[in-house]
Each structure stands twice: as structure tokens, then as C-alpha cells.
Amino acid sequence: MQANPIFNADLIRRYDKAGPRYTSYPTAVQFHGGFDEAQYRQQAAISNARGGPLSLYFHIPFCDTVCFYCACNKVVTKVRAKAQPYLDDVYREMALQSALFDRDRPVEQLHWGGGTPTFLSIEQMRELMGRTGEHFLLKTDDTGEYSIEIDPREANAGTVAVLRELGFNRMSLGVQDFDPKVQKAVNRIQSEAETLAVLKAARDEGFHGVSIDLIYGLPFQTVDSFLRTLDRVIEASPDRLSVFNYAHLPTRFMPQRRIKQEELPTPADKLSILESTIHHLTSAGYVLIGMDHFAKPDDPLARAQREGSLYRNFQGYATHAECDLVAMGVSSIGQVGDAFSQNVKDLETYHAMLTEGRLPIERGFVVNDDDKLRRAVITDLICHFELDGDAVGRRFGIDFGDYFANELQDLEPFIEDGLLTLEGNRIRILPVGRLMIRNICMTFDRYLDTSGERRFSRTL
Ligand SMILES: C[S@@+](CC[C@H](N)C(=O)[O-])C[C@H]1O[C@@H](n2cnc3c(N)ncnc32)[C@H](O)[C@@H]1O
Ligand code: SF4
């Protein structure tokens, strides 16, 4: 069992530099346009030869209104009629993709993300799941992990009942903050009643778990205001919580230009909000899983961490290790065989490529043995805060101490600062070091250079 993290503001400030969140290794920055459809097909063949269950991801990019902080890949529109032509393209993609995978591979995980998946009408959602079942082997006994991102402004008890009927058993609810002043500043007006109604409906319908998304670092947030939001969330008792750090990158994300810099909490305020959030949630019985996720101690995520089977993927922390991930829809990222691949991001190119009968792949990356080894190291560190280098060495047929001699030397400053211990080839992250886990993982990242500074967000 992991001890709660210890908060050391001086160290957090000192280690506050931009870095990846390691939802993949190598990170998406390494993906390149040289990866094409032919390579994807080869990787699908490798995937079939290995067999095993699949994970499916569908990206539904539409949102009715824009939230100014949003960094997701989305299309903001009030025109609901845009959804059907897009779905028609998704069906074209699904036909091409499903032809590449053996039909007997069960879909262990399925996720609809966005944008706002419930922008679709009930009929459209039924059809999407129905067609998925025609192309892939969906589990019908509720033992898969089938999850959906819900904006409570775009769902009600009726929607939730239909989603359950379609096979969903997990949902995450976008909340961000209950404070009306914060909501106004980010253009996301959402009453507590709307959120709680969806949460209650999920419970009534027998969803296995509900997660709530919050963001700290938004305009006008203070420690007191955010604790008030947390108290209301704790009362609602979700199984999991994601508390994301708002990264203000207005040059990259257009809508963020409508957020005024002077209305944002200072880095010192953000640090205080983070500290009190961790204290508040752990006092209320939640376990900090790592980075920005919290879960109740009996939640599968917390259990997986205790049992050493936690995994990290594009949706954050996950309980299922390495199902091959077939991703469909604009901008979606898949992981098949030994490769990552990402689809084109705009609707027009997506449509044009599918009309020509081509898979809409924009870029990707085939991992080599060194990438796999480093991925295993980073996954262990970021998920379990502990690494048995000798065990990893045996698994990959290398001498861990020799292979990572430089990296182990680079850990010295972390050891001196009390963030971790190194005994032989065993690395243990100490409670003080848990919040700096990204920095520690960066030691093992072969691709990092200073250009990364501009692409990644900072801790504060
Ligand atoms: C695709 S959105 C969730 C689904 C739905 N559209 C909604 O907003 O309720 C996924 C989550 O990403 C988080 N998010 C979006 N932009 C962010 C940003 N700039 N910084 C931190 N978190 C962000 C929000 O917490 C949001 O709930
Ligand atoms: S946070 Fe969700 S609803 Fe808001 S713009 Fe982003 S994807 Fe759309």
C-alpha cells in the first residue's frame, strides 16, 4: 500500500518544469508522418498473431458550446445535423479497421470520448453501438469495461438509462468547478443539480463506477472556493476523481485566449490549491493514484495499484494492461502491435480519405526494443512508484545496471533531495517524490530535448 504523498512546496517549485504526462512512451511528440496505412496493416497482422482482447476508442468531437479552458480536440457547433455525416465516415472507418482484426478477439474495453459523445441523438448512439457489435465481438455479459465521457449539460436520466442498455458500465462526468464565478469565467454554466441528477441516474441504472473531472488553476479559483467544490463532490461520493491541472497555453489552444491571465491564480496559489486538494481528498478516504487521479480504496484502480497491475494509457490510469487499442474518429490515437498511430484531426480530411477508401492515418510510430524497455520502466514508476530493475532486466534480457548506468547516475540529485531511494537496482519513490514523478520518469526518456519545453505543460 502506498503512503500518502508528502507535500514539499520548495521541492515542487524547484522541479516545476515542462514535461510529458506519459500517457504513452514514446509520447505523441515522436509520432511522424512517415507512418502510413501499409505499416498499420502490418502492425494489425502482428497484433492478430499475438491475439488477445481488444480495446476500442471512438472520438465524437462535437460540443454545443465552447469551454474557454478546453484543450481537447473538438468541433463547437449548434448544428446537430453535422453529427450524421461524421458518423457515416466513422462507419466507413469501422468497416476498414474491423477487416484487419480477427473477429474472435473480445472487446475488453470500449470508450467513447470527445468532445461530447452525448451530442449524438439517442438513435445515433444506438446505431453506433449496434454497428460496433456487427464489426467487433462486444461482450454482452457486462464484464467488459465500457465507459463514456458525459457532459451533464448534455444528458439526463433518460440518456443514462439508454447508455446502460447499450452496455456502458462506467462514466466520467465533466464538472471542473461548482463555483458560479469560475463557471462564468470559463463559459461553462452547469448547475450542481444537473450534475447530481446524472450521477444519481448512473447509480440507479447500476453503473459500476462514476468518476468526476475537476480542474484546478482556473480563473478566480482560491483555496477556499475550490475546497467548497470539493466538499460538494465528496458528498456526492464518486468512485474516482480526476483533478487536472489547468495549463494555460493560449498560443496553442485558441479558446484559452478568452481567459484573462490576470484572473488566473498565481503559481503559489495553485500550489496551495493542489496541497489542500490532496489533503482534503485523502482525509475524506480517497487514495491518490498518481499524478491527477484519486479513487476510493476499494475501487479497481486502487486495487490494481496495490496489486501491481495498474497501467497507463491515453485515458489516464487503467486497470487493463495492454489490450491493443483500435481507435476510430478524428484525432484518435490507437496502439496496435508495436505501433502507435493517430488519425487526421479535421473533419474534411477525415471525410476525404475515407471516401477514397483509405484509413485516415496522419502519423504514427513503430516502437523498437529500447522503447519497449523504457516504456516498462516508466510505466512501473508512474503507476507503482517502485521499480525492480533486476526483474525488468530479466524480462528484457539485459543487465539493468549496465544498460541504465547513465540514467542511474542522473538519479543522484533526486536521491539527495529525498525523492527516491536506490538500493542495488531497485528504485523506490518516497512520499515526498510522488508529486515529482514526471521529472523522475523523464530521466529514462531517450527522446527528451529542450524542444520538449514548449510542447508540454508544467506542474504549476
Ligand atoms: C473531453 S473532456 C470531457 C467530456 C465533456 N466534453 C465534458 O466537458 O464534460 C475531458 C476532460 O478534460 C479536461 N480538460 C479539458 N481541457 C483541459 C485543460 N486545458 N486543462 C486541464 N484539463 C482539461 C476536463 O476536465 C474535461 O472534463
Ligand atoms: S470541456 Fe468538454 S464540453 Fe467543454 S469544450 Fe471541451 S470537450 Fe467540449
Side-chain angles (χ1 to χ4, degrees):
M1 174 104 182
Q2 293 291 334
N4 279 332
I6 294 176
F7 198 91
N8 182 320
D10 284 342
L11 284 174
I12 294 176
R13 239 179 251 122
R14 182 131 55 84
Y15 283 103
D16 177 29
K17 66 171 180 170
R21 296 156 45 75
Y22 292 114
T23 52
S24 70
Y25 179 83
T27 65
V29 171
Q30 300 308 321
F31 300 179
H32 56 83
F35 183 90
D36 60 11
E37 180 165 349
Q39 288 186 60
Y40 187 79
R41 288 177 183 276
Q42 274 171 15
Q43 294 297 330
I46 293 173
S47 168
N48 283 329
R50 290 181 191 154
L54 291 176
S55 180
L56 301 184
Y57 175 77
F58 291 91
H59 192 76
I60 313 297
F62 305 104
C63 297
D64 178 82
T65 51
V66 67
C67 311
F68 295 157
Y69 56 79
C70 184
C72 304
N73 192 285
K74 66 203 171 289
V75 174
V76 179
T77 179
K78 301 250 180 246
V79 185
R80 301 275 157 164
K82 286 200 176 166
Q84 192 56 50
Y86 175 70
L87 286 173
D88 292 337
D89 287 333
V90 170
Y91 298 144
R92 289 186 186 100
E93 184 183 6
M94 187 147 50
L96 293 172
Q97 289 264 24
S98 61
L100 302 179
F101 296 93
D102 290 341
R103 185 69 169 82
D104 60 355
R105 299 178 68 180
V107 177
E108 195 70 54
Q109 282 179 304
L110 177 144
H111 187 82
W112 288 6
T116 308
T118 54
F119 182 93
L120 305 180
S121 70
I122 297 287
E123 296 69 39
Q124 286 169 331
M125 291 193 275
R126 279 189 196 286
E127 186 176 9
L128 176 54
M129 191 62 104
R131 293 221 189 191
T132 306
E134 287 164 19
H135 286 94
F136 293 95
L137 183 60
L138 291 181
K139 290 188 137 188
T140 50
D141 58 0
D142 211 22
T143 58
E145 198 179 86
Y146 290 8
S147 56
I148 178 165
E149 292 168 14
I150 300 273
D151 177 343
R153 298 169 302 170
E154 283 277 0
N156 55 33
T159 328
V160 174
V162 171
L163 293 171
R164 186 74 183 111
E165 184 200 318
L166 295 184
F168 286 102
N169 50 29
R170 294 200 159 268
M171 68 166 68
S172 59
L173 298 177
V175 172
Q176 328 313 346
D177 195 314
F178 277 134
D179 189 320
K181 191 172 176 191
V182 177
Q183 291 193 354
K184 185 159 180 282
V186 299
N187 197 39
R188 185 181 177 119
I189 312 292
Q190 175 177 328
S191 74
E192 220 175 305
E194 274 171 307
T195 303
L196 297 181
V198 174
L199 189 91
K200 179 176 181 307
R203 295 228 164 91
D204 291 347
E205 294 296 336
F207 272 72
H208 301 174
V210 178
S211 182
I212 282 187
D213 292 350
L214 300 174
I215 304 182
Y216 75 96
L218 293 178
F220 301 115
Q221 278 178 341
T222 63
V223 169
D224 286 348
S225 79
F226 203 63
L227 288 187
R228 277 196 295 276
T229 288
L230 285 179
D231 278 337
R232 275 125 87 186
V233 168
I234 290 167
E235 217 172 291
S237 192
D239 306 275
R240 298 177 190 172
L241 272 156
S242 301
V243 188
F244 296 117
N245 172 16
Y246 173 59
H248 191 56
L249 301 167
T251 47
R252 266 187 71 190
F253 304 108
M254 281 274 271
Q256 295 188 355
R257 293 177 200 170
R258 296 165 77 175
I259 290 182
K260 297 194 188 89
Q261 178 80 41
E262 63 272 20
E263 291 172 354
L264 291 172
T266 64
D269 291 339
K270 275 183 85 175
L271 199 54
S272 304
I273 297 174
L274 177 63
E275 177 172 19
S276 35
T277 296
I278 292 171
H279 180 73
H280 215 65
L281 289 175
T282 50
S283 304
Y286 286 90
V287 180
L288 176 64
I289 298 298
M291 307 269 289
D292 29 34
H293 285 49
F294 295 82
K296 288 184 176 172
D298 56 352
D299 185 89
L301 216 53
R303 272 208 308 269
Q305 185 168 58
R306 283 197 295 276
E307 290 161 7
S309 59
L310 194 66
Y311 187 63
R312 196 158 162 80
N313 65 16
F314 295 106
Q315 272 105 50
Y317 288 93
T319 50
H320 292 251
E322 303 204 55
C323 288
D324 270 1
L325 169 65
V326 181
M328 285 162 275
V330 279
S331 77
S332 61
I333 301 180
Q335 184 176 2
V336 166
D338 288 329
F340 295 108
S341 61
Q342 182 166 30
N343 274 351
V344 295
K345 296 194 185 77
D346 68 289
L347 296 178
E348 295 72 27
T349 319
Y350 184 69
H351 175 71
M353 290 178 80
L354 285 160
T355 311
E356 290 167 15
R358 293 159 61 201
L359 279 171
I361 295 168
E362 180 177 83
R363 56 187 191 142
F365 190 88
V366 181
V367 298
N368 62 26
D369 288 344
D370 176 74
D371 297 326
K372 288 185 200 171
L373 168 60
R374 288 171 192 271
R375 177 160 75 196
V377 168
I378 288 173
T379 301
D380 265 357
L381 287 173
I382 210 161
C383 289
H384 303 112
F385 300 102
E386 186 163 347
L387 177 80
D388 179 351
D390 293 330
V392 171
R394 281 193 296 277
R395 213 172 115 201
F396 286 87
I398 52 134
D399 182 308
F400 188 86
D402 283 349
Y403 197 98
F404 289 113
N406 291 338
E407 285 82 350
L408 293 176
Q409 221 163 38
D410 291 345
L411 291 179
E412 265 317 307
F414 297 121
I415 299 171
E416 279 163 27
D417 284 334
L419 304 192
L420 58 85
T421 59
L422 177 66
E423 287 164 27
N425 288 323
R426 184 180 287 274
I427 300 169
R428 278 201 184 88
I429 312 300
L430 297 171
V432 174
R434 290 190 61 183
L435 295 168
M436 275 72 85
I437 190 66
R438 294 208 292 190
N439 304 70
I440 297 165
C441 289
M442 282 157 77
T443 311
F444 292 91
D445 185 336
R446 193 167 70 87
Y447 298 100
L448 273 188
D449 59 37
T450 46
S451 66
E453 278 280 319
R454 283 178 285 113
R455 297 178 190 252
F456 299 113
S457 59
R458 299 160 72 96
T459 310
L460 292 180

